[in-house]
Amino acid sequence: MNSSPGTTRKPVYLAVYDTLADWETGHATAQLARAGYPVRTVGPTLAPVTSVGGLRVQPDLALADVRPSDAALLILPGADLWDAGDDLAPFARTARAFLDAGVPVAAICGATAGLAREGLLDDRDHTSAVSFYLAATGYGGGDRYVDTDAVTDGVLVTAGPTEPVAFAREILRLLHVYDDEAVDAWYRLFHDSDAGAYAVLEKAGVL
């Protein structure tokens, strides 16, 4: 683990909004929290939101109060609202501010379409559910689309809705939460149910 007792880490901001996809960020936030990163939920306002699975979340912060300098990472989960209008566009604009400041952003599923509409994928390698899903946004980055489970380009991570474990893997690598051997073992354990990965993770102090 890339940490030591007493290490103070900046918080990870997890965006939350109505219809957010519950399953897409749990692996990432659980491992980050275990590694000492405070996880703070960020809503459009401080009003409670409800996930697609019926989970009611009370945001810790309103989006207007978020500053890139205060954070280690911004995570944008998918949600039906990404494709239902402009309600979540402010989160994409916040992602632009983070990227401009060199602070990591991780977007999965519908959030990738939000970033595409904001122009943030035009010049960065990225992935999503399928290429034509992003093409429907009219964005200019089709030639940078990579047909794989998850992609990191600089400080931006993208993934499709069926790849929450790969999404977490890229985040763990980007933030150097664990060394490469431990991240690979963690991925094998949670994606492939590889029992042989336990020994590596125990040695690294991950489990």
Side-chain angles (χ1 to χ4, degrees):
M1 182 184 297
N2 187 26
S3 62
S4 59
T7 298
T8 300
R9 297 191 177 279
K10 289 184 177 182
V12 168
Y13 288 154
L14 172 65
V16 294
Y17 20 71
D18 286 332
T19 74
L20 76 92
D22 310 65
W23 65 91
E24 293 176 344
T25 61
H27 282 289
T29 54
Q31 290 304 132
L32 291 168
R34 286 171 64 93
Y37 287 88
V39 177
R40 301 288 182 260
T41 52
V42 179
T45 67
L46 290 178
V49 300
T50 304
S51 75
V52 73
L55 182 68
R56 188 173 183 271
V57 180
Q58 175 69 58
D60 296 313
L61 293 138
L63 185 61
D65 296 325
V66 167
R67 301 290 179 269
S69 59
D70 297 332
L73 170 71
L74 172 66
I75 300 178
L76 300 175
D80 295 343
L81 286 181
W82 281 112
D83 298 315
D86 296 327
D87 286 355
L88 299 187
F91 285 91
R93 291 194 290 271
T94 297
R96 177 181 291 281
F98 270 64
L99 294 173
D100 287 348
V103 180
V105 172
I108 186 170
C109 188
T112 62
L115 298 192
R117 295 185 186 97
E118 182 65 19
L120 297 175
L121 304 185
D122 289 354
D123 300 309
R124 295 177 172 91
D125 290 344
H126 60 276
T127 193
S128 185
V130 288
S131 60
F132 56 81
Y133 170 63
L134 292 186
T137 68
Y139 84 130
D143 61 338
R144 302 296 294 267
Y145 187 89
V146 183
D147 190 11
T148 190
D149 56 6
V151 171
T152 299
D153 187 330
V155 293
L156 175 65
V157 173
T158 52
T162 61
E163 299 293 346
V165 182
F167 184 60
R169 177 197 67 207
E170 295 302 301
I171 290 170
L172 297 176
R173 284 177 177 166
L174 179 60
L175 296 185
H176 304 291
V177 176
Y178 311 127
D179 64 29
D180 288 343
E181 183 183 20
V183 172
D184 289 343
W186 180 88
Y187 179 78
R188 295 199 317 273
L189 177 62
F190 286 95
H191 187 266
D192 304 325
S193 300
D194 180 359
Y198 273 106
V200 176
L201 295 174
E202 288 177 345
K203 181 179 178 181
V206 176
L207 295 179

